[in-house]
Amino acid sequence: MDAPFPTRDARTAAQRLGDAGEDRALAFLRAHELRLVARKVRFKGGEIDLVMRDGAALVFVEVRCRSRQDFGSALDSIDARKARRVVLAARLYLQRHPAEAQRDCRFDVIALDGADAAPTWVRDAFRLDDL
């Protein structure tokens, strides 16, 4: 008999890769003394993988994972359209959390190319005025 709802095992390979990548990114950022505020924040127009605090600054983190580089690296997968979606989600997040809106904010990217590759951390990967 089939289960009425999909289980975590029913997730696609890409979804499992993304979840594992977010776990690795979170551990990496925590090792660099950033603190987790929220994870997998979703809104209609976009999502934020990780919201972290770096000192007093609020950091919106996009995690990109690639198991192979046939179509470019994980970092290459961040384009202006993706950045705009992250910014939109960040704006919605700040509307829901007005006390956080007073903090300095930045957008970072953690890129993971392969299961064993060291994370590439790009601080200030994009800015609101660049989009």
Side-chain angles (χ1 to χ4, degrees):
M1 179 180 212
D2 291 336
F5 300 103
T7 63
R8 186 157 177 91
D9 294 336
R11 296 176 59 81
T12 67
Q15 288 169 324
R16 288 191 303 272
L17 175 68
D19 288 344
E22 285 180 17
D23 291 342
R24 286 179 57 205
L26 179 57
F28 175 83
L29 291 169
R30 282 182 166 161
H32 285 85
E33 300 184 4
L34 277 73
R35 294 182 321 277
L36 180 66
V37 174
R39 185 172 183 174
K40 293 188 186 226
V41 179
R42 292 189 173 116
F43 297 99
K44 185 175 180 177
E47 78 173 57
I48 305 163
D49 295 324
L50 300 169
V51 180
M52 307 290 292
R53 199 161 287 132
D54 186 7
L58 194 63
V59 184
F60 299 101
V61 182
E62 176 65 16
V63 179
R64 302 302 281 186
C65 304
R66 289 277 170 96
S67 59
R68 301 178 0 198
Q69 292 191 5
D70 298 356
F71 299 102
S73 71
L75 199 54
D76 293 336
S77 70
I78 300 288
D79 58 11
R81 181 175 176 264
K82 179 61 184 172
R84 281 192 296 272
R85 290 175 64 93
V86 173
V87 167
L88 171 62
R91 285 183 172 149
L92 293 169
Y93 178 87
L94 293 171
Q95 285 176 1
R96 287 204 179 157
H97 301 89
E100 300 284 15
Q102 305 306 313
R103 297 181 180 279
D104 288 334
C105 297
R106 74 171 193 256
F107 297 90
D108 290 4
V109 172
I110 297 286
L112 301 159
D113 288 300
D116 298 326
T120 300
W121 183 12
V122 182
R123 292 176 182 238
D124 270 328
F126 48 89
R127 295 174 176 266
L128 291 175
D129 49 341
D130 294 339
L131 302 173

XYZ file of all heavy atoms in Angstrom, residues 11-101:
717
model
N 12.143 12.593 -1.702
C 12.705 13.828 -2.272
C 13.618 13.471 -3.432
O 14.219 12.403 -3.463
C 13.456 14.605 -1.186
C 12.507 15.071 -0.068
C 13.218 15.743 1.068
N 13.975 16.902 0.676
C 13.461 18.129 0.482
N 12.180 18.322 0.623
N 14.216 19.134 0.142
N 13.714 14.361 -4.375
C 14.560 14.118 -5.533
C 16.031 14.181 -5.139
O 16.381 14.708 -4.074
C 14.306 15.163 -6.634
O 14.754 16.446 -6.157
C 12.832 15.228 -7.026
N 16.878 13.681 -6.015
C 18.325 13.732 -5.758
C 18.780 15.175 -5.616
O 19.621 15.491 -4.766
C 19.076 13.022 -6.876
N 18.232 16.070 -6.431
C 18.607 17.486 -6.349
C 18.189 18.083 -5.009
O 18.936 18.875 -4.417
C 17.984 18.269 -7.499
N 17.012 17.703 -4.508
C 16.566 18.219 -3.210
C 17.441 17.693 -2.082
O 17.789 18.437 -1.166
C 15.100 17.828 -2.973
C 14.136 18.599 -3.852
C 12.730 18.033 -3.795
O 12.530 16.821 -3.701
N 11.745 18.916 -3.861
N 17.818 16.425 -2.168
C 18.705 15.862 -1.138
C 20.080 16.524 -1.196
O 20.683 16.817 -0.162
C 18.816 14.342 -1.301
C 17.546 13.613 -0.885
C 17.737 12.107 -0.798
N 18.203 11.503 -2.026
C 17.426 11.068 -3.021
N 16.114 11.173 -2.910
N 17.949 10.519 -4.098
N 20.574 16.790 -2.407
C 21.854 17.483 -2.565
C 21.761 18.881 -1.948
O 22.664 19.312 -1.231
C 22.239 17.579 -4.044
C 23.503 18.376 -4.359
C 24.742 17.662 -3.837
C 23.616 18.616 -5.861
N 20.668 19.575 -2.208
C 20.476 20.912 -1.647
C 20.414 20.906 -0.134
O 21.020 21.751 0.530
N 19.690 19.936 0.431
C 19.606 19.829 1.894
C 20.984 19.567 2.506
O 21.366 20.185 3.498
C 18.652 18.709 2.302
C 17.197 19.047 2.038
O 16.875 20.227 1.825
O 16.381 18.106 2.053
N 21.731 18.642 1.902
C 23.077 18.332 2.398
C 23.984 19.550 2.262
O 24.791 19.839 3.152
C 23.662 17.141 1.648
N 23.845 20.283 1.166
C 24.639 21.487 0.965
C 24.334 22.549 2.003
O 25.243 23.207 2.529
N 23.055 22.723 2.315
C 22.682 23.696 3.351
C 23.248 23.286 4.706
O 23.702 24.138 5.471
C 21.174 23.852 3.415
C 20.623 24.653 2.258
C 19.115 24.805 2.308
O 18.513 24.584 3.390
O 18.540 25.141 1.276
N 23.226 21.983 4.992
C 23.817 21.504 6.251
C 25.305 21.822 6.304
O 25.819 22.290 7.320
C 23.614 19.999 6.409
C 22.160 19.596 6.643
O 21.342 20.466 7.018
O 21.857 18.401 6.448
N 26.018 21.568 5.199
C 27.458 21.858 5.143
C 27.718 23.348 5.261
O 28.643 23.786 5.956
C 28.066 21.326 3.843
C 28.232 19.828 3.820
C 28.822 19.334 2.521
N 30.107 19.950 2.235
C 30.603 20.089 1.008
N 29.951 19.645 -0.033
N 31.780 20.655 0.825
N 26.922 24.155 4.564
C 27.090 25.610 4.611
C 26.857 26.131 6.022
O 27.612 26.980 6.513
C 26.140 26.283 3.618
N 25.827 25.623 6.676
C 25.528 26.055 8.038
C 26.685 25.718 8.975
O 27.123 26.565 9.765
C 24.230 25.408 8.520
C 23.792 25.746 9.936
C 23.637 27.253 10.133
C 22.483 25.022 10.252
N 27.210 24.516 8.881
C 28.345 24.126 9.729
C 29.555 25.012 9.445
O 30.258 25.445 10.374
C 28.688 22.653 9.501
N 29.801 25.295 8.179
C 30.925 26.150 7.777
C 30.770 27.553 8.370
O 31.714 28.104 8.953
C 30.993 26.199 6.247
C 32.026 27.132 5.710
C 33.355 26.735 5.607
C 31.680 28.406 5.287
C 34.319 27.601 5.094
C 32.633 29.271 4.780
C 33.957 28.870 4.682
N 29.581 28.138 8.231
C 29.367 29.492 8.733
C 29.419 29.546 10.261
O 29.952 30.497 10.832
C 28.045 30.042 8.206
C 28.040 30.313 6.699
C 26.629 30.596 6.208
C 28.991 31.440 6.328
N 28.894 28.527 10.905
C 28.989 28.473 12.370
C 30.446 28.389 12.817
O 30.821 28.988 13.821
C 28.193 27.291 12.913
C 26.713 27.551 12.961
C 25.968 26.380 13.541
N 24.613 26.757 13.885
C 23.644 25.880 14.064
N 23.873 24.586 13.938
N 22.445 26.286 14.365
N 31.255 27.654 12.065
C 32.684 27.562 12.389
C 33.366 28.918 12.243
O 34.407 29.157 12.851
C 33.362 26.521 11.497
N 32.766 29.806 11.434
C 33.280 31.166 11.278
C 32.528 32.153 12.167
O 32.512 33.356 11.909
C 33.203 31.585 9.801
C 34.259 30.937 8.985
N 34.111 29.673 8.440
C 35.498 31.351 8.632
C 35.205 29.350 7.780
N 36.073 30.346 7.890
N 31.854 31.618 13.196
C 31.222 32.387 14.259
C 29.974 33.157 13.847
O 29.570 34.096 14.523
C 32.236 33.291 14.951
C 33.365 32.489 15.582
C 34.343 33.329 16.373
O 34.135 34.545 16.515
O 35.317 32.740 16.856
N 29.326 32.774 12.747
C 28.024 33.332 12.425
C 26.983 32.526 13.183
O 27.183 31.340 13.464
C 27.749 33.281 10.923
C 28.350 34.440 10.112
C 29.842 34.312 9.967
C 27.682 34.522 8.759
N 25.873 33.173 13.514
C 24.814 32.511 14.278
C 23.554 32.383 13.423
O 23.159 33.338 12.741
C 24.508 33.305 15.543
C 25.678 33.308 16.516
C 25.395 34.060 17.816
N 24.629 35.286 17.715
C 25.133 36.476 17.399
N 26.409 36.606 17.127
N 24.361 37.535 17.364
N 22.924 31.230 13.492
C 21.713 30.975 12.723
C 20.534 31.745 13.312
O 20.303 31.705 14.518
C 21.395 29.470 12.718
C 20.141 29.055 11.945
C 20.322 29.318 10.450
C 19.828 27.591 12.191
N 19.817 32.419 12.432
C 18.587 33.120 12.808
C 17.387 32.344 12.265
O 16.408 32.117 12.967
C 18.581 34.568 12.259
C 17.256 35.256 12.526
C 19.744 35.362 12.834
N 17.460 31.921 10.990
C 16.360 31.187 10.363
C 16.913 30.372 9.200
O 17.979 30.668 8.659
C 15.290 32.146 9.868
N 16.134 29.349 8.843
C 16.547 28.464 7.755
C 15.346 28.184 6.852
O 14.228 28.055 7.339
C 17.075 27.165 8.355
C 17.650 26.221 7.343
C 18.317 25.054 8.024
N 18.915 24.213 6.998
C 19.670 23.182 7.228
N 19.947 22.835 8.461
N 20.160 22.479 6.240
N 15.587 28.118 5.558
C 14.545 27.808 4.574
C 13.345 28.733 4.725
O 12.220 28.294 4.923
C 14.117 26.353 4.667
C 15.202 25.403 4.257
C 14.691 23.990 4.185
C 15.857 23.091 3.911
N 15.659 22.126 2.908
N 13.590 30.016 4.621
C 12.527 31.013 4.720
C 11.923 31.166 3.332
O 12.626 31.556 2.394
C 13.086 32.355 5.238
C 11.988 33.391 5.313
C 13.772 32.181 6.582
N 10.633 30.845 3.211
C 9.995 30.848 1.893
C 8.863 31.865 1.839
O 8.070 31.982 2.763
C 9.448 29.458 1.585
C 10.542 28.460 1.392
C 10.006 27.144 0.866
N 11.133 26.280 0.538
C 11.390 25.145 1.154
N 10.593 24.722 2.098
N 12.433 24.431 0.810
N 8.835 32.561 0.713
C 7.759 33.478 0.390
C 7.332 33.182 -1.036
O 8.045 32.488 -1.777
C 8.228 34.942 0.503
C 8.638 35.329 1.891
C 9.970 35.348 2.254
C 7.682 35.676 2.836
C 10.355 35.703 3.530
C 8.067 36.027 4.118
C 9.401 36.049 4.469
N 6.223 33.736 -1.444
C 5.706 33.463 -2.785
C 6.718 33.804 -3.869
O 6.872 33.073 -4.841
C 4.397 34.209 -3.015
C 3.758 33.887 -4.334
C 2.414 34.544 -4.489
C 1.829 34.171 -5.836
N 0.507 34.716 -6.012
N 7.442 34.893 -3.715
C 8.349 35.345 -4.765
C 9.775 34.839 -4.667
O 10.585 35.099 -5.545
N 10.119 34.123 -3.599
C 11.496 33.663 -3.463
C 11.728 33.024 -2.113
O 10.817 32.902 -1.301
N 12.956 32.599 -1.902
C 13.300 31.982 -0.630
C 14.712 32.348 -0.227
O 15.526 32.764 -1.052
C 13.137 30.468 -0.681
C 14.246 29.746 -1.382
C 14.105 28.232 -1.238
O 13.067 27.688 -1.621
O 15.067 27.617 -0.754
N 14.965 32.204 1.058
C 16.287 32.444 1.616
C 16.717 31.138 2.266
O 16.009 30.598 3.123
C 16.265 33.571 2.669
C 15.676 34.849 2.084
C 17.665 33.819 3.211
C 15.250 35.854 3.125
N 17.874 30.640 1.873
C 18.345 29.365 2.424
C 18.691 29.498 3.898
O 18.249 28.703 4.720
C 19.551 28.850 1.635
C 19.194 28.518 0.201
O 18.072 28.021 -0.041
O 20.041 28.753 -0.678
N 19.505 30.497 4.224
C 19.924 30.708 5.608
C 19.893 32.200 5.915
O 20.312 33.020 5.096
C 21.352 30.205 5.831
C 21.630 28.731 5.568
C 23.136 28.468 5.584
C 20.927 27.858 6.585
N 19.415 32.529 7.094
C 19.533 33.893 7.619
C 20.445 33.757 8.827
O 20.166 32.991 9.750
C 18.164 34.479 8.028
C 18.337 35.894 8.574
C 17.185 34.457 6.867
N 21.554 34.487 8.795
C 22.573 34.374 9.836
C 22.842 35.752 10.427
O 22.492 36.772 9.838
C 23.876 33.820 9.242
C 23.753 32.520 8.467
S 23.389 31.059 9.446
C 24.884 30.865 10.392
N 23.488 35.763 11.568
C 23.945 37.008 12.157
C 25.458 36.949 12.246
O 26.024 35.981 12.755
C 23.324 37.205 13.536
C 23.419 38.658 13.929
C 22.490 39.109 15.015
N 21.106 39.209 14.581
C 20.089 38.696 15.247
N 20.289 38.029 16.354
N 18.863 38.849 14.823
N 26.101 37.964 11.698
C 27.557 38.102 11.741
C 27.834 39.358 12.558
O 27.770 40.470 12.024
C 28.119 38.206 10.334
C 29.644 38.208 10.297
O 30.268 38.002 11.356
O 30.206 38.416 9.206
N 28.093 39.193 13.839
C 28.179 40.348 14.725
C 26.799 40.985 14.778
O 25.807 40.318 15.036
N 26.719 42.272 14.477
C 25.430 42.963 14.478
C 24.722 42.880 13.127
O 23.546 43.216 13.025
C 25.638 44.429 14.852
N 25.422 42.438 12.097
C 24.854 42.410 10.744
C 23.977 41.185 10.525
O 24.247 40.099 11.027
C 25.970 42.428 9.705
N 22.927 41.379 9.743
C 22.054 40.291 9.315
C 22.514 39.857 7.929
O 22.716 40.688 7.042
C 20.609 40.781 9.269
C 19.523 39.739 9.165
C 19.525 38.830 10.394
C 18.163 40.403 9.030
N 22.714 38.566 7.760
C 23.274 38.038 6.508
C 22.276 37.070 5.891
O 21.877 36.091 6.515
C 24.616 37.310 6.758
C 25.224 36.848 5.441
C 25.580 38.209 7.515
N 21.878 37.360 4.658
C 21.017 36.472 3.889
C 21.934 35.627 3.015
O 22.694 36.167 2.208
C 20.035 37.281 3.045
C 19.124 38.133 3.879
C 19.367 39.497 4.033
C 18.030 37.585 4.521
C 18.529 40.286 4.807
C 17.195 38.367 5.311
C 17.439 39.720 5.455
N 21.865 34.312 3.191
C 22.815 33.413 2.536
C 22.104 32.549 1.510
O 21.135 31.858 1.831
C 23.522 32.505 3.566
C 24.535 31.607 2.876
C 24.187 33.331 4.661
N 22.603 32.592 0.292
C 22.158 31.703 -0.779
C 23.177 30.577 -0.879
O 24.380 30.828 -1.013
C 22.063 32.458 -2.108
C 21.707 31.606 -3.278
C 20.315 30.987 -3.213
O 19.475 31.429 -2.400
O 20.067 30.050 -3.979
N 22.707 29.347 -0.776
C 23.576 28.178 -0.875
C 23.348 27.538 -2.240
O 22.210 27.234 -2.601
C 23.279 27.154 0.245
C 24.189 25.939 0.114
C 23.430 27.807 1.617
N 24.426 27.363 -2.995
C 24.333 26.744 -4.318
C 25.228 25.520 -4.340
O 26.394 25.584 -3.946
C 24.773 27.721 -5.409
C 23.966 28.998 -5.431
C 22.501 28.765 -5.621
N 22.223 28.505 -7.016
C 21.024 28.378 -7.533
N 19.967 28.454 -6.764
N 20.869 28.161 -8.806
N 24.666 24.403 -4.795
C 25.393 23.133 -4.835
C 25.354 22.568 -6.244
O 24.331 22.641 -6.913
C 24.748 22.113 -3.902
S 24.605 22.636 -2.211
N 26.452 22.008 -6.625
C 26.521 21.280 -7.890
C 27.309 20.009 -7.645
O 28.394 20.036 -7.065
C 27.245 22.101 -8.971
C 26.473 23.307 -9.481
C 25.498 22.880 -10.559
N 24.572 23.907 -10.949
C 24.727 24.709 -11.991
N 25.797 24.626 -12.730
N 23.801 25.600 -12.285
N 26.762 18.888 -8.080
C 27.493 17.630 -7.949
C 28.470 17.462 -9.108
O 29.475 16.782 -8.983
C 26.532 16.444 -7.885
O 25.728 16.401 -9.044
N 28.159 18.104 -10.231
C 29.037 18.068 -11.417
C 29.083 19.465 -12.011
O 28.213 20.283 -11.765
C 28.482 17.096 -12.453
C 28.358 15.701 -11.929
C 27.765 14.720 -12.914
N 27.417 15.265 -14.202
C 26.598 14.674 -15.049
N 26.033 13.548 -14.748
N 26.335 15.219 -16.218
N 30.091 19.702 -12.826
C 30.241 21.029 -13.418
C 29.988 21.031 -14.920
O 30.503 21.882 -15.635
C 31.621 21.591 -13.097
C 31.782 21.900 -11.630
C 33.030 22.708 -11.340
O 33.751 23.121 -12.220
N 33.279 22.932 -10.067
N 29.152 20.113 -15.388
C 28.828 20.060 -16.817
C 28.263 21.385 -17.328
O 28.465 21.755 -18.480
C 27.820 18.949 -17.107
C 28.344 17.567 -16.764
O 29.523 17.460 -16.366
O 27.573 16.601 -16.882
N 27.502 22.057 -16.472
C 26.862 23.303 -16.873
C 27.401 24.492 -16.093
O 26.712 25.485 -15.900
C 25.342 23.192 -16.705
C 24.736 22.111 -17.546
C 24.378 20.899 -16.980
C 24.560 22.292 -18.906
C 23.834 19.892 -17.757
C 24.015 21.290 -19.686
C 23.652 20.085 -19.117
N 28.622 24.392 -15.612
C 29.242 25.469 -14.862
C 29.300 25.149 -13.379
O 28.761 24.156 -12.907
N 29.965 26.004 -12.673
C 30.149 25.807 -11.229
C 28.904 26.266 -10.471
O 28.019 26.926 -11.017
C 31.360 26.598 -10.751
O 31.079 27.980 -10.774
N 28.877 25.940 -9.196
C 27.781 26.381 -8.338
C 27.719 27.903 -8.301
O 26.646 28.489 -8.352
C 27.953 25.808 -6.937
N 28.865 28.534 -8.250
C 28.909 29.996 -8.216
C 28.374 30.597 -9.514
O 27.696 31.627 -9.498
C 30.342 30.462 -7.946
C 30.523 31.872 -7.451
C 29.681 32.153 -6.222
C 31.976 32.128 -7.147
N 28.640 29.921 -10.642
C 28.143 30.402 -11.930
C 26.621 30.385 -12.007
O 26.036 31.065 -12.853
C 28.692 29.550 -13.079
C 30.188 29.705 -13.271
O 30.732 30.755 -12.869
O 30.814 28.773 -13.814
N 25.981 29.600 -11.135
C 24.526 29.465 -11.199
C 23.785 30.648 -10.575
O 22.560 30.718 -10.648
C 24.081 28.157 -10.539
O 24.259 28.213 -9.142
N 24.501 31.576 -9.976
C 23.876 32.778 -9.422
C 23.841 33.837 -10.520
O 24.873 34.337 -10.954
C 24.674 33.340 -8.224
C 24.762 32.321 -7.110
C 24.047 34.638 -7.731
C 23.492 32.089 -6.367
N 22.646 34.139 -10.976
C 22.497 35.185 -11.985
C 21.653 36.321 -11.393
O 21.211 36.248 -10.242
C 21.877 34.626 -13.266
C 20.513 33.975 -13.048
O 19.929 34.131 -11.944
O 20.013 33.325 -13.973
N 21.442 37.362 -12.171
C 20.706 38.530 -11.677
C 19.277 38.153 -11.291
O 18.746 38.659 -10.296
C 20.703 39.632 -12.724
N 18.666 37.246 -12.030
C 17.291 36.826 -11.724
C 17.240 36.153 -10.352
O 16.361 36.446 -9.537
C 16.788 35.877 -12.806
C 15.373 35.405 -12.594
C 14.912 34.544 -13.797
N 13.602 34.014 -13.569
C 13.343 32.797 -13.093
N 14.334 31.970 -12.817
N 12.113 32.397 -12.907
N 18.168 35.252 -10.084
C 18.211 34.567 -8.797
C 18.481 35.572 -7.681
O 17.851 35.527 -6.623
C 19.282 33.464 -8.808
C 19.398 32.718 -7.504
C 18.090 32.011 -7.156
C 18.176 31.342 -5.811
N 16.884 30.812 -5.373
N 19.412 36.479 -7.900
C 19.727 37.496 -6.893
C 18.496 38.345 -6.581
O 18.226 38.643 -5.411
C 20.890 38.362 -7.367
N 17.733 38.724 -7.605
C 16.520 39.522 -7.380
C 15.505 38.747 -6.536
O 14.829 39.325 -5.689
C 15.898 39.944 -8.709
C 16.607 41.130 -9.352
C 15.811 41.714 -10.505
N 15.655 40.779 -11.609
C 16.501 40.631 -12.623
N 17.587 41.376 -12.674
N 16.273 39.763 -13.577
N 15.393 37.446 -6.751
C 14.448 36.636 -5.972
C 14.880 36.570 -4.497
O 14.039 36.611 -3.597
C 14.321 35.243 -6.572
C 13.605 35.243 -7.915
C 13.584 33.873 -8.554
N 12.827 32.918 -7.774
C 11.542 32.646 -7.946
N 10.873 33.277 -8.897
N 10.943 31.755 -7.206
N 16.166 36.463 -4.257
C 16.673 36.451 -2.881
C 16.422 37.804 -2.226
O 15.987 37.884 -1.073
C 18.170 36.078 -2.835
C 18.736 36.231 -1.434
C 18.386 34.658 -3.354
N 16.668 38.879 -2.956
C 16.433 40.228 -2.431
C 14.953 40.426 -2.112
O 14.603 40.977 -1.060
C 16.949 41.292 -3.417
C 16.440 42.674 -3.049
C 18.469 41.274 -3.458
N 14.074 39.964 -2.997
C 12.639 40.072 -2.738
C 12.274 39.333 -1.452
O 11.562 39.861 -0.588
C 11.836 39.504 -3.909
C 10.328 39.371 -3.673
C 9.686 40.723 -3.427
C 9.665 38.661 -4.846
N 12.770 38.128 -1.297
C 12.495 37.355 -0.084
C 13.056 38.066 1.154
O 12.420 38.081 2.212
C 13.073 35.948 -0.212
N 14.235 38.665 1.022
C 14.828 39.399 2.146
C 13.960 40.596 2.528
O 13.756 40.860 3.719
C 16.244 39.844 1.797
N 13.453 41.295 1.545
C 12.571 42.439 1.842
C 11.317 41.973 2.583
O 10.871 42.611 3.539
C 12.197 43.162 0.557
C 13.317 43.994 0.001
C 12.897 44.744 -1.236
N 13.950 45.674 -1.620
C 14.208 46.031 -2.850
N 13.486 45.554 -3.847
N 15.181 46.873 -3.118
N 10.734 40.867 2.131
C 9.554 40.324 2.795
C 9.891 39.860 4.211
O 9.110 40.062 5.149
C 8.955 39.187 1.965
C 8.366 39.624 0.615
C 8.035 38.413 -0.240
C 7.150 40.510 0.820
N 11.051 39.260 4.370
C 11.503 38.834 5.704
C 11.609 40.046 6.633
O 11.146 40.005 7.778
C 12.851 38.114 5.599
C 13.400 37.681 6.931
C 13.034 36.459 7.485
C 14.260 38.504 7.654
C 13.517 36.064 8.725
C 14.743 38.113 8.890
C 14.374 36.897 9.420
O 14.847 36.518 10.651
N 12.215 41.122 6.142
C 12.389 42.317 6.971
C 11.057 42.985 7.294
O 10.903 43.577 8.365
C 13.352 43.289 6.289
C 14.797 42.792 6.198
C 15.630 43.711 5.316
C 15.421 42.636 7.577
N 10.080 42.892 6.383
C 8.748 43.422 6.680
C 8.104 42.648 7.822
O 7.423 43.227 8.659
C 7.855 43.350 5.446
C 8.174 44.386 4.407
C 7.338 44.228 3.152
O 6.488 43.353 3.042
N 7.598 45.087 2.172
N 8.324 41.348 7.857
C 7.761 40.517 8.928
C 8.537 40.630 10.234
O 8.031 40.276 11.289
C 7.726 39.055 8.507
C 6.669 38.776 7.491
C 6.266 37.342 7.516
N 5.231 37.112 6.543
C 4.969 35.948 6.025
N 5.669 34.896 6.385
N 4.009 35.813 5.152
N 9.771 41.071 10.147
C 10.637 41.203 11.324
C 11.207 42.625 11.358
O 12.393 42.831 11.117
C 11.771 40.171 11.273
C 11.290 38.763 11.214
N 11.034 38.111 10.041
C 10.982 37.895 12.205
C 10.602 36.897 10.301
N 10.562 36.737 11.604
N 10.374 43.616 11.658
C 10.810 45.014 11.564
C 11.991 45.370 12.463
O 12.774 46.250 12.119
C 9.556 45.822 11.930
C 8.591 44.860 12.492
C 8.983 43.487 12.062
N 12.152 44.696 13.582
C 13.298 44.988 14.451
C 14.606 44.648 13.746
O 15.628 45.306 13.956
C 13.186 44.221 15.759
N 14.586 43.622 12.893
C 15.789 43.224 12.138
C 16.110 44.228 11.032
O 17.248 44.317 10.580
C 15.606 41.829 11.535
C 15.370 40.743 12.548
C 16.627 40.331 13.295
O 17.645 41.050 13.256
O 16.588 39.275 13.937
N 15.115 44.966 10.583
C 15.307 45.911 9.481
C 16.246 47.056 9.861
O 16.761 47.756 8.985
C 13.958 46.464 9.017
